[in-house]
Amino acid sequence: METKEDVLNTRTPTRCIPCFIFTALLFTISSGCFPAHAGETGKGLTTMEAITVTAHKRSQDARDVPDSITVLTDMEIEDASVTDMESLSYKVPGLTFNNFGSRRLSMTFMRGIKSMFTGEPATGVYVDGVNYAKSYMFDFPLFDVEHIEVLKGSQGTLYGKNTMAGVINIHTREPGNDRVARTGSEYGSENFMGVNGSVSGPIIRDRLFFGLAGAGLSKDSYLENDTAAPGEDGRHAEGGGGRLKLRYTPGDNLDLRLTLDGQTHDGGALPLRRTERNALVQSGSLDVDPAYRYSHDFEGTAEDSFWGASLNADCRLGNHTLTWISGFRDYKDRESVDSDFSPFDMTRLNYAWDEETVTQEIRLASPESGPDAVTWLAGVYYFYNDGDSSQEHLYRSGMVGNPYNPFGSDTGTRRFDFAGENYGGALFGQASVRVFNDFELTGGLRYEHQKATMERTRTDTPDSGGTSRLVYPDAANTFDNLLPKASLAWHLTPHHRVYATFSCGQRTGGFNTTTLSEYMAYDAEESRLYEIGAKLGFPDQRLNLSLAGFYMDIDQEQVTLFNLETNTPYIVNAGQSHRLGLEAELDWTLAPGLTLDAGLTLLQAEYDQYSDPALGTDYEGNRAFSVPNYTFNVGVGYRRPVWPGWDVMGRADLAGVGSRYFDDANSVREGAYELVNLKLGLEGDHMDIYVWARNLLDCQYVVFENTSKGVAEDGAPRTLGISVRYRF
């Protein structure tokens, strides 16, 4: 019998802190022994610079945003090798990201609030102002990115539904008058090969510009199948993406940007190893799989494509700005997997998903005026989402006579087909005003209305012949919500601010694509956030420090359960829960060329009212599913000239994730782990050469376990590589 303290792995994760301290000390000593040249710029700036963001849909100093916000510049993104959502999460305290089995099955946690492929997300992801509507769209390559803004906490007023955990704004590089071209390639462990490149410049100077960028990769799996099966092992992958931008500025009052982008990826799917909770292990039929090994008679495959177009326009109307953002996204996914996760020929699953989303936002913003003026913006938003999917469950010879086989002593295929629509609109506005010179009061409100519908059928086809079809009743639901926000900021000095914020958020309800009619629909999830914080700047010490404390009440939290009979997950509303946390972020220029950045989130995520409707078990007081009790990141970077035209660059990063429970009963615990990444290189006027290591100390950790099925996936082991970049 397992207890709360049972862990998934008997191996203790490698503790990486001593190595990191040594690396940081080495950088510090180096800076003292080899002082930077006078007047050095870039990372060696000796004065603090303000960072302008558009997180609140207007340009402002990041220190003036009354929310917890993490901003990564293009240089920080390149230095830390942020190339996807997982590597981004290592730089943002309170954010974790993994995928489990395939790119589609991604899990995003922001401040302990999950976004999973089974339902609507709680974190909003926007690329150049266009929303990526579902969490299975989040695992995409990041290339030619200008900067990233991560807003934490409910952002319902300006961004609407499904942003109760926060918003990730990704801004790709805008073309201009400068002609810029760059290319790069890298090679690493598991035959990893990557290429990237971009070119941009004017077509007609001061009027028409273009930008073209792309990236691709290919890699073998770090997992090995112990059963002979056709196909490639595990999580191999190949694919890439590209983006074309056209920008037109016919005058000072109009800026038009047209973007076309797309990506495609092929890889393995669900190469999951069996744990002691697997039914075949518990029956004595099979053993537990060792780390990084699995045993399937069928190699899974996954193919996905994701493309879209957007039109962004900023038009000056007198002193006001009218913004227009039109977006279209098309997503397709095809997967075939061994759904019994064993060397026996029992069940397989073929999955297909097609989805299209159209979004439109129009907003008007007041001019940026003096400190005593009211600044405001108001807008309208519309979206339409259309999705069609199918699941084919193949019951094969190993399932003959099994109680979970709907065909009894026969074999056959059970297919579910689903068609759903979701559409709606919103009106929103927000205004800020200075009072008593040093105080700024902000208030906003959003009204949303949306409707969701679903049609579904089930078709059974025994291999012995004959077909039966069941049409389920159509389902429909509407959601209306008011999402207010209020904050008060106190400008203590030009470099010190404190703030208090209250905001509301909502995660949309929806429908389960299972045969469980009593759980076919689930309700919306609602939240109320209370946050206080401080943003402190110390110019003489070249130091920025941000602190925040928050408490969030959540009603009708959506939790994911698993139905063994249908071999599919489904969502129910748990009742009530809360998130209580402290956050801190630090950016410090220790000396010219030597920087330190760090972040920490301490988090309590507990169920206040929740009982499992199937088991009747009360989970009140238990920790929320898969939420770590802390996350942290520390990075040290160093850059200095070594001879004319060449700089030496070094960076060490440590990311830590606290313990988690992979079930609501808190019986399956994964211990804390830390990952060390290292990068060293030479940078010239035109060429850069780096060697790098990810998970340098080869920490072993589990990304996730489906405890109902007793299958898990291990995180990537140590990867070593070399990169070369060239600028024309």
Side-chain angles (χ1 to χ4, degrees):
M1 177 69 69
E2 293 168 344
T3 68
K4 270 194 170 187
E5 299 306 310
D6 288 338
V7 297
L8 291 177
N9 297 299
T10 56
R11 174 181 169 184
T12 302
T14 304
R15 297 300 174 219
C16 308
I17 295 177
C19 175
F20 183 80
I21 293 176
F22 173 78
T23 307
L25 181 61
L26 178 63
F27 279 147
T28 305
I29 294 173
S30 298
S31 68
C33 296
F34 304 102
H37 291 189
E40 184 181 351
T41 60
K43 285 287 186 179
L45 283 172
T46 58
T47 58
M48 297 175 62
E49 289 187 336
I51 298 177
T52 300
V53 298
T54 57
H56 280 190
K57 302 194 174 184
R58 66 185 312 136
S59 296
Q60 61 185 140
D61 189 331
R63 294 169 296 187
D64 290 333
V65 176
D67 291 301
S68 180
I69 182 172
T70 300
V71 183
L72 298 180
T73 65
D74 57 349
M75 180 171 282
E76 291 169 330
I77 291 168
E78 291 183 1
D79 283 357
S81 299
V82 176
T83 58
D84 54 22
M85 292 292 284
E86 183 175 358
S87 52
L88 172 64
S89 69
Y90 299 149
K91 297 297 297 175
V92 181
L95 174 65
T96 60
F97 179 92
N98 298 105
N99 60 40
F100 173 64
S102 73
R103 299 174 64 87
R104 176 178 65 91
L105 307 182
S106 66
M107 300 180 295
T108 307
F109 285 80
M110 181 94 79
R111 284 187 169 179
I113 304 172
K114 66 180 177 298
S115 299
M116 295 185 67
F117 70 98
T118 48
E120 298 291 324
T123 298
V125 174
Y126 290 77
V127 179
D128 294 331
V130 176
N131 180 226
Y132 285 19
K134 306 290 186 179
S135 62
Y136 43 74
M137 302 176 182
F138 290 179
D139 192 9
F140 58 93
L142 298 176
F143 55 89
D144 205 39
V145 174
E146 189 171 87
H147 71 281
I148 299 173
E149 305 166 4
V150 182
L151 273 167
K152 286 166 273 187
S154 298
Q155 305 298 324
T157 299
L158 290 180
Y159 291 93
K161 67 184 181 69
N162 300 340
T163 60
M164 58 184 289
V167 168
I168 300 173
N169 274 319
I170 298 166
H171 299 269
T172 61
R173 206 177 305 276
E174 296 287 358
N177 277 324
D178 293 332
R179 295 185 182 274
V180 178
R182 63 183 71 186
T183 185
S185 61
E186 52 187 341
Y187 180 80
S189 309
E190 281 83 42
N191 286 324
F192 170 75
M193 291 183 289
V195 294
N196 60 80
S198 64
V199 58
S200 65
I203 299 174
I204 302 174
R205 190 167 183 82
D206 297 326
R207 288 291 181 266
L208 183 63
F209 318 93
F210 83 100
L212 182 64
L217 64 84
S218 174
K219 64 178 180 179
D220 295 339
S221 177
Y222 56 85
L223 305 172
E224 184 176 346
N225 191 353
D226 290 330
T227 300
E232 297 184 60
D233 281 351
R235 295 296 299 278
H236 69 278
E238 60 181 33
R243 182 188 310 114
L244 171 65
K245 274 194 172 186
L246 294 175
R247 183 183 179 197
Y248 181 51
T249 56
D252 295 336
N253 294 326
L254 182 62
D255 191 338
L256 292 170
R257 286 98 64 200
L258 174 66
T259 303
L260 303 174
D261 70 280
Q263 56 180 287
T264 181
H265 295 272
D266 295 340
L270 296 176
L272 309 180
R273 63 175 177 86
R274 293 181 304 278
T275 71
E276 59 268 32
R277 283 159 288 280
N278 184 271
L280 293 171
V281 173
Q282 293 182 341
S283 69
S285 302
L286 293 170
D287 294 328
V288 171
D289 287 318
Y292 305 115
R293 309 289 284 269
Y294 64 102
S295 49
H296 298 180
D297 68 298
F298 176 74
E299 290 287 6
T301 61
E303 301 177 1
D304 63 81
S305 63
F306 188 29
W307 72 275
S310 64
L311 177 64
N312 295 47
D314 290 314
C315 179
R316 299 277 296 182
L317 302 176
N319 291 325
H320 297 72
T321 302
L322 179 69
T323 299
W324 172 293
I325 304 174
S326 300
F328 171 78
R329 307 302 307 172
D330 180 275
Y331 175 85
K332 290 180 171 59
D333 183 80
R334 302 290 184 270
E335 293 184 10
S336 295
V337 300
D338 183 346
S339 53
D340 60 75
F341 310 107
S342 80
F344 306 136
D345 189 12
M346 298 175 67
T347 60
R348 297 181 185 178
L349 171 64
N350 296 326
Y351 177 87
W353 185 263
D354 297 271
E355 183 167 339
E356 294 181 351
T357 304
V358 176
T359 57
Q360 177 64 62
E361 180 169 323
I362 305 172
R363 63 178 185 264
L364 183 67
S366 67
E368 303 288 346
S369 301
D372 298 325
V374 176
T375 57
W376 56 266
L377 63 82
V380 296
Y381 181 78
Y382 170 81
F383 77 94
Y384 174 79
N385 179 271
D386 179 38
D388 296 284
S389 69
S390 66
Q391 297 179 19
E392 284 187 335
H393 298 264
L394 284 65
Y395 296 86
R396 299 169 66 87
S397 58
M399 287 294 289
V400 171
N402 191 296
Y404 289 142
N405 180 7
F407 302 102
S409 60
D410 198 358
T411 57
T413 300
R414 169 165 283 184
R415 177 186 171 105
F416 295 93
D417 289 279
F418 315 96
E421 289 185 335
N422 189 9
Y423 56 91
L427 299 171
F428 63 92
Q430 183 166 296
S432 299
V433 60
R434 279 291 186 101
V435 292
F436 307 118
N437 288 329
D438 297 329
F439 292 88
E440 185 173 27
L441 180 64
T442 300
L445 184 65
R446 186 186 191 98
Y447 169 71
E448 286 196 331
H449 171 82
Q450 58 182 304
K451 183 175 182 178
T453 62
M454 187 183 75
E455 303 172 357
R456 61 177 184 160
T457 60
R458 189 189 78 192
T459 304
D460 288 346
T461 307
D463 289 339
S464 59
T467 297
S468 62
R469 188 167 184 263
L470 174 63
V471 179
Y472 292 88
D474 293 348
N477 211 341
T478 58
F479 303 95
D480 293 272
N481 207 12
L482 287 174
L483 300 172
K485 180 174 185 176
S487 63
L488 179 64
W490 183 12
H491 295 247
L492 293 165
T493 73
H495 302 290
H496 294 66
R497 287 95 160 157
V498 296
Y499 67 89
T501 294
F502 167 79
S503 61
C504 292
Q506 183 196 57
R507 190 207 307 255
T508 302
F511 307 103
N512 288 307
T513 56
T514 73
T515 58
L516 296 174
S517 299
E518 64 269 35
Y519 303 126
M520 184 175 181
Y522 53 90
D523 292 331
E525 180 179 328
E526 298 179 346
S527 68
R528 293 168 299 279
L529 171 70
Y530 309 86
E531 180 173 331
I532 58 173
K535 300 186 179 185
L536 310 175
F538 303 92
D540 292 341
Q541 289 75 37
R542 303 180 297 279
L543 170 68
N544 281 323
L545 175 64
S546 297
L547 303 169
F550 60 89
Y551 181 85
M552 178 180 284
D553 271 321
I554 301 175
D555 292 331
Q556 298 295 314
E557 177 166 353
Q558 297 169 7
V559 298
T560 301
L561 305 178
F562 196 86
N563 182 1
L564 291 173
E565 180 179 353
T566 61
N567 207 23
T568 54
Y570 64 101
I571 295 174
V572 298
N573 294 100
Q576 296 180 339
S577 66
H578 72 269
R579 306 293 188 269
L580 173 66
L582 295 173
E583 287 180 343
E585 287 193 73
L586 172 73
D587 289 293
W588 192 4
T589 302
L590 299 168
L594 180 65
T595 62
L596 170 70
D597 58 85
L600 171 68
T601 296
L602 303 176
L603 186 63
Q604 180 191 79
E606 293 183 354
Y607 298 118
D608 299 321
Q609 180 183 337
Y610 171 35
S611 60
D612 189 315
L615 302 177
T617 306
D618 189 358
Y619 297 140
E620 180 180 345
N622 284 12
R623 283 171 54 182
F625 158 81
S626 203
V627 176
N629 54 357
Y630 67 81
T631 61
F632 70 86
N633 60 274
V634 183
V636 177
Y638 185 62
R639 180 178 274 109
R640 68 175 295 273
V642 288
W643 60 80
W646 289 92
D647 294 349
V648 65
M649 177 269 185
R651 182 168 183 87
D653 283 285
L654 171 67
V657 177
S659 64
R660 299 161 290 156
Y661 287 102
F662 288 148
D663 65 334
D664 293 325
N666 288 183
S667 62
V668 182
R669 179 178 179 270
E670 167 70 2
Y673 65 91
E674 296 84 33
L675 303 176
V676 170
N677 297 331
L678 188 66
K679 185 176 182 181
L680 300 170
L682 287 174
E683 300 175 335
D685 293 336
H686 296 284
M687 178 180 288
D688 306 326
I689 303 173
Y690 306 99
V691 293
W692 47 263
R694 296 164 190 158
N695 191 4
L696 175 66
L697 299 188
D698 204 19
C699 293
Q700 180 193 328
Y701 62 101
V702 176
V703 171
F704 176 68
E705 180 182 343
N706 180 334
T707 58
S708 298
K709 293 286 289 185
V711 290
E713 183 171 339
D714 300 302
R718 176 172 51 231
T719 305
L720 307 175
I722 184 170
S723 302
V724 179
R725 278 192 322 211
Y726 191 82
R727 292 176 296 278
F728 298 92

